Amino acid sequence: MVEAERMADEVGLAHLTLAALAERLGVRQPSLYKHIDGMGASKRSIAVRAKTELADVMSRAAVGRSRDDAIRVLASAYRTWARGHPGRYAATVHAPTPGDVDDENATAAALHVVLDVLSGYGLRDDDAIDATRALRSALHGFISLEEAGGFGLPVDIDRSFNGLVDGLVVVLQSLATRTV
């Protein structure tokens, strides 16, 4: 599975095939079926492991921090991990299939990191979910555009990312005063 993850990062999750993986491993494709249950199962496994790893990365970044500082380091860690693991990152964007306990748990681990950070703003329940969706959407949109080469203007991309995160912090501060 580690080699499939590396390959997904190199060629993109959408281009990961059993034939290409078998060639890379120097085995015949039918030999892979002794170890995996097909490409769908492999991509699911990549997703579960990637979500777990991303949750750990965000958790380690945010530990001991709160509110604005926690959002900034969480966003930076999220972006850094996604840029370093583009194929695995692509595997994290889908919600788990209902009943897939491993994927549900991995997704929940990542969600809980974000919810814990948002609790510093007093955001709970539906407000916390709304804020989570906004944060994830903004970060994912930026990361996706950056990965696709969508930022061609001659302004430092890190400066733009930091500006986006600063804007998110302002929104979260505003939501915090609304919920008090």
Side-chain angles (χ1 to χ4, degrees), residues 64-154:
R65 300 174 187 262
S66 62
R67 290 185 54 113
D68 306 350
D69 187 37
I71 289 294
R72 286 185 176 98
V73 298
L74 181 137
S76 178
Y78 186 96
R79 178 180 176 224
T80 298
W81 187 86
R83 289 170 63 191
H85 307 287
R88 284 182 265 180
Y89 175 69
T92 69
V93 300
H94 297 286
T97 301
D100 184 339
V101 175
D102 292 336
D103 198 3
E104 288 172 343
N105 288 339
T107 300
L111 174 62
H112 286 297
V113 172
V114 175
L115 292 175
D116 285 347
V117 168
L118 293 174
S119 71
Y121 293 93
L123 298 174
R124 294 185 179 31
D125 305 319
D126 290 352
D127 289 337
I129 297 301
D130 292 343
T132 299
R133 287 176 175 160
L135 178 64
R136 184 178 184 214
S137 296
L139 296 177
H140 177 72
F142 193 97
I143 290 163
S144 296
L145 287 167
E146 183 178 22
E147 176 69 21
F151 295 136
L153 297 174

Side-chain angles (χ1 to χ4, degrees), residues 11-54:
V11 303
L13 186 67
H15 300 290
L16 179 63
T17 65
L18 288 178
L21 183 58
E23 181 178 333
R24 182 173 184 141
L25 294 171
V27 300
R28 294 174 27 136
Q29 187 173 336
S31 299
L32 288 179
Y33 289 103
K34 295 176 186 173
H35 306 283
I36 57 176
D37 293 327
M39 188 47 58
S42 295
K43 287 183 179 180
R44 179 220 163 258
S45 181
I46 290 170
V48 169
R49 288 171 46 102
K51 289 175 184 181
T52 300
E53 185 176 334
L54 182 56

